Amino acid sequence: MKKIYFLIAFCCSVLLHSQERYFLNSDTRLYTSASSSASFLGYFKYGAEIRLLSGSQNGWYKVQADNFNEGYVQESFVTTRLNAKDVKIKDTENPILEGGDAYYGGNHLFVLVAGLKARALPDKNSKIKEILFTGDPVAVDYLPVNQDEWVNINGNFDEEYARYTLRKFIGLRPSFESLLKDFDKLDVNAVSDRKTVSERIVELAWNSEYAKLEPAYQRYYEVVKQINDPKLISETEMNMALAKGLAKHKLSEQIIAFTRKIGFLLGDIKTDTPMPNFTQKQLLKFYGDPDKKVKISDECGLYLSDLFYYYPNLEISVDEKKNKAEVIKVYVSPNYKFILNTNDFLDNSTSEKAFIEKYGTYIEASLKSPHNYSIIMEDSQFRIVFKDGKLFSVEIFFYC
């Protein structure tokens, strides 16, 4: 029923004032009645979009916030256009942070909990749109006072893009050092609490500099051993190896020099360049006709053309008119190998942990893309994917 109610409210509000978009040219609050001395439901930040639910009534509009809260704002704060000359009145009690703090460019707060589910609608049973991590910045233009109210954390009325979570799960950015202290104070037998805090520590470490990953995983590993889950222990040990490598990350010029030694073994053909290329005639001679040819939109003009040849182990960009072919992706196997450091041949028998232990100082990694790594080049990068603990594919990805 809640979901139906929100959809009805959304559709009705679209019908009213549908020709214009309205914004607030100042910090203000959502009042319960048309008076600045009335109680209020939440805080607006400069730039917040609203929907008008009525015409002007004695200098006030009834409006709807982006989380469907309804109340009143002063007419003088409502505009159809924002500009640099706006005289912004700041509310010193408004908890929402302005952009430009090295974490986010617009109005925002931070995720406070681990594995936060962002919903499609302000309803705990609605579709999960995204999983967010401790320390992730989220866009917030309106913040309700009630901790159990929903917040739109994408600052967008559009149903396709809107994301919602509860107010109590976002706030000022957590302190990594404070979380470490909180964990260290917990009773060693309070396994559930230790697990919750250590998960937050790990996620926040990933949202900080690489140097914080080792102390984060050390705490988490203590809990994992208490839980005694062999799979979780194995995964954590691999992540500890990754943290160790990332903490000693090479300089960009060292990594670029390293990539110049990268090559591939593609069946019977060994290449000594990071980006293997052939003439189209050579391609057909070496590998025969492709299993399929597909045209893919290439708006950035990154590839030779929008035509791709697909083989069991290769994806190749081909310009048939210019007789050129360039390997874009390799699915590794015993005969198709990724060559690192001139003579280290990696194939589908290469384990993820062995790769991390040997090359962890050269790679980039993210908690949001587990088992996916990258090695940065000057105008592109290698995307290296592992599946079930073994090397699966290597893709050459160009920057748009």
Side-chain angles (χ1 to χ4, degrees), residues 191-355:
V191 178
S192 179
D193 290 341
R194 281 163 61 86
K195 183 174 183 292
T196 298
V197 177
S198 63
E199 287 172 343
R200 294 177 64 203
I201 290 170
V202 165
E203 291 184 0
L204 186 58
W206 277 104
N207 271 318
S208 307
E209 59 269 19
Y210 284 150
K212 288 185 166 61
L213 288 171
E214 282 195 273
Y217 275 112
Q218 285 168 2
R219 266 77 172 184
Y220 186 63
Y221 191 50
E222 290 180 25
V223 180
V224 167
K225 287 189 292 184
Q226 285 183 289
I227 297 171
N228 198 26
D229 180 333
K231 184 178 179 181
L232 196 54
I233 289 172
S234 177
E235 287 179 357
T236 305
E237 288 174 347
M238 185 176 69
N239 283 323
M240 291 176 74
L242 177 59
K244 184 177 180 180
L246 293 174
K248 299 176 181 178
H249 206 253
K250 300 288 187 182
L251 299 175
S252 58
E253 55 266 30
Q254 293 174 307
I255 296 171
I256 290 171
F258 172 75
T259 62
R260 296 193 180 107
K261 301 176 183 178
I262 288 176
F264 290 88
L265 179 66
L266 307 176
D268 295 328
I269 308 300
K270 182 177 180 293
T271 73
D272 296 320
T273 61
M275 288 174 280
N277 55 78
F278 312 99
T279 66
Q280 185 211 12
K281 291 180 179 178
Q282 286 175 326
L283 178 67
L284 295 175
K285 178 182 177 182
F286 297 152
Y287 304 106
D289 291 330
D291 291 353
K292 63 179 179 178
K293 296 181 181 181
V294 178
K295 284 202 170 186
I296 299 176
S297 175
D298 180 18
E299 295 178 358
C300 293
L302 301 177
Y303 303 106
L304 292 177
S305 77
D306 60 0
L307 178 63
F308 285 77
Y309 285 12
Y310 287 82
Y311 295 89
N313 288 89
L314 299 171
E315 293 180 12
I316 300 176
S317 172
V318 179
D319 188 328
E320 294 180 335
K321 291 181 179 179
K322 294 183 178 179
N323 190 30
K324 292 182 177 180
E326 187 172 71
V327 175
I328 300 302
K329 191 170 185 177
V330 178
Y331 296 92
V332 298
S333 71
N335 296 319
Y336 287 77
K337 304 186 180 189
F338 185 39
I339 307 172
L340 286 176
N341 215 18
T342 306
N343 56 8
D344 190 6
F345 290 70
L346 311 184
D347 60 20
N348 59 334
S349 67
T350 302
S351 76
E352 186 171 358
K353 188 175 181 183
F355 172 78

Side-chain angles (χ1 to χ4, degrees), residues 163-177:
R163 305 282 189 275
Y164 298 89
T165 189
L166 292 176
R167 164 70 180 88
K168 60 188 174 185
F169 296 142
I170 61 174
L172 299 181
R173 193 173 196 273
S175 163
F176 184 76
E177 288 71 23

